[in-house]
Structures are given as C-alpha cells and as structure tokens.
Amino acid sequence: MSSYPRLFREAAMLSFALATLSSCSSLKAPPAKPSAFLPHAAELRKGDHHSPFQLNWHSPDADAVIQSRQKVYVAPLSLAYLRPMSRGFSARAFSESERQQAARNLANYANSKVADAFANAGASRFKLVSRPDRNALTIELALVEFNPNSTTGGVLRTAINAAAVPGVDSVLLKRLKGNISVEGKVSDGATKRSIFEFSDNQENKSALIISVNDFKSYGQARQAIDEWARQIEETLRTPRSTRVSRASSFVILPWH
C-alpha cells in the first residue's frame, strides 16, 4: 500500500499545528493607537478585569460617580478623528467619499444602538435622556478607524481558508479583513469631567467555514457596533467585581 496518503495526512496535521500556534497571538485585532479625542489617551492600559474593551482608563472616583447617577445621555458620535484607510483592499474597493458616507450612516446607527441598549435593557438602572443633564452620565464616542470590507478580500479569505486550514488567522488573512475602531469617554454631567475612557478595535471574525459578513461591505462594522452597544450599557450598569463578556474573534455559524 502506498505511503503517500499517510504522508499527506501527517503533513496536514503538522501544518495545522504550526498554523494554529503561529496564529494564536494574531487572532485578536490589535488595539488602535489612541487619538486626541481622549483626554487621558496616554494613560490607557490593557488588562482591565471588568471592562470588555482593549484599552481603558478610570479616574480614582469613577465607580462612585457612576453609582451616584441614574440618568445617561448619549452624545452624537464624532467623525472628527477618523483616520485615512490603511488597508489596501479597502482603499482600492472604496473611494473616500463612499467611506465617509458609510461612516456617517454608521455614526447614526451607533447612536441608535447605544441609546436602545439603555432604553431597552430590562436590568438597566439608567434613564435615557435626550440632552445633557447635570445628574446624568454623558457618553461620547468617536470613530477613529474604518476600513470597509472588500468583496475581493472576502473571496480570497474564504478561498484561503478552504484550501488551507479553516479558521486559522494568518498575517495574510488579517490584511484582507475590514476593521472598525471606536473610542469612548464617559463624563460626569455635573462637573463635565471625564471619569472613564476606552478604546476598542474589531475586524472580521475568523470563521470555521464561511461568514456572510465577509461579503457585506459594512456587515462587520455593524456587528461590532451591536456588540459595543451591549458592552457599554453592561459595563456602566454592573459592579467592578464582575466581568463583562468580551467580543469573540471567532464565529462558527455562517450568518454571524
């Protein structure tokens, strides 16, 4: 009996092991460089137990201030700090004017989703208000990176995964992904002082087989915004001793 099939199987297993080991550190999208939108950008740190976001900063009295407020105001998302496209497939597939229009649409979508997270959360202790209030927390968000999905990039990612190791996130695959990065700050309405700041960057999730968001120009961005809205509400509602679930970088179901 020929030994070729066995050799092929062993080679495939070795390739899978090497690819998995090399991809573990690159599976998550790296944090984006903080912008001037955040007053304490230089003080952001990784590894917050409570917050689901990649980079965080808290004032010493953040917990006390958050606990003392029962209202929340969501300010319009800012696009003033949006950086140029940095991923080649996105830049070739979209003009800057197309991206700017998409960013404006996403800003409106984000405002709506964050407001809805507070208005519709059954366990939320905050009352959503439509204007700044001295007895409310003010949530301000800024979009700092946005590289829309390229259909070509999605096709190539799917082909590479099908031909090699499904779900493995190599450096090559990361270059084919779209990404979106947001910054946020929570201020005390009475003092206008920032008490909590964060930054988070998300890109296309690695799929076991295929993800429909790979073929939607703004599917990944909307998915990230949906997750951020939930996380912002839960982070402000829950005590620091709890752990708010982070966004997964991997999906199994094709439509997620």
Side-chain angles (χ1 to χ4, degrees):
M1 179 181 290
S2 172
S3 62
Y4 285 119
R6 180 175 60 82
L7 291 175
F8 285 142
R9 287 196 299 270
E10 291 176 352
M13 291 174 64
L14 179 61
S15 297
F16 177 79
L18 292 174
T20 301
L21 288 172
S22 66
S23 69
C24 287
S25 62
S26 63
L27 191 59
K28 290 274 189 181
K33 181 180 179 181
S35 78
F37 172 74
L38 299 176
H40 299 88
E43 301 172 61
L44 293 178
R45 296 292 182 268
K46 297 180 181 179
D48 189 284
H49 171 78
H50 175 57
S51 171
F53 307 114
Q54 292 172 318
L55 301 175
N56 300 271
W57 171 87
H58 293 82
S59 68
D61 63 342
D63 293 345
V65 174
I66 291 173
Q67 290 298 317
S68 70
R69 302 304 180 202
Q70 285 77 45
K71 300 178 182 178
V72 65
Y73 165 66
V74 181
L77 184 146
S78 173
L79 297 176
Y81 300 86
L82 182 59
R83 295 165 182 148
M85 284 183 280
S86 58
R87 303 195 177 189
F89 277 86
S90 298
R92 285 190 288 272
F94 300 90
S95 68
E96 182 58 22
S97 61
E98 288 174 323
R99 187 184 74 128
Q100 288 291 337
Q101 180 59 55
R104 289 190 289 271
N105 293 338
L106 289 173
N108 293 332
Y109 182 76
N111 284 124
S112 175
K113 295 298 292 188
V114 175
D116 286 348
F118 283 94
N120 300 327
S124 182
R125 61 180 182 81
F126 293 101
K127 176 185 178 182
L128 182 68
V129 293
S130 59
R131 64 188 65 185
D133 188 311
R134 65 176 291 103
N135 294 314
L137 299 174
T138 295
I139 300 173
E140 299 174 79
L141 300 174
L143 190 62
V144 293
E145 289 188 8
F146 174 41
N147 286 279
N149 288 342
S150 158
T151 301
T152 302
V155 170
L156 287 174
R157 284 186 65 222
T158 302
I160 291 170
N161 270 328
V165 183
V168 171
D169 210 17
S170 67
V171 174
L172 171 60
L173 293 184
K174 291 180 76 67
R175 292 176 180 173
L176 303 177
K177 292 182 173 184
N179 83 300
I180 183 170
S181 180
V182 73
E183 293 178 347
K185 56 185 175 184
V186 178
S187 303
D188 178 24
T191 63
K192 313 299 183 187
R193 182 171 52 90
S194 177
I195 58 171
F196 171 43
E197 299 174 15
F198 64 88
S199 171
D200 203 69
N201 179 36
Q202 290 198 37
E203 57 190 16
N204 284 78
K205 298 179 186 293
S206 297
L208 182 62
I209 303 175
I210 189 173
S211 173
V212 296
N213 281 324
D214 282 350
F215 305 97
K216 293 181 179 179
S217 299
Y218 315 118
Q220 177 270 334
R222 286 176 174 262
Q223 183 180 51
I225 289 170
D226 291 346
E227 292 175 337
W228 286 329
R230 175 193 62 81
Q231 292 170 332
I232 291 170
E233 187 279 328
E234 189 174 349
T235 300
L236 294 181
R237 169 171 48 85
T238 57
R240 294 272 295 159
S241 58
T242 64
R243 187 181 184 90
V244 179
S245 61
R246 289 159 169 77
S248 172
S249 60
F250 186 85
V251 293
I252 297 177
L253 300 177
W255 50 88
H256 283 189

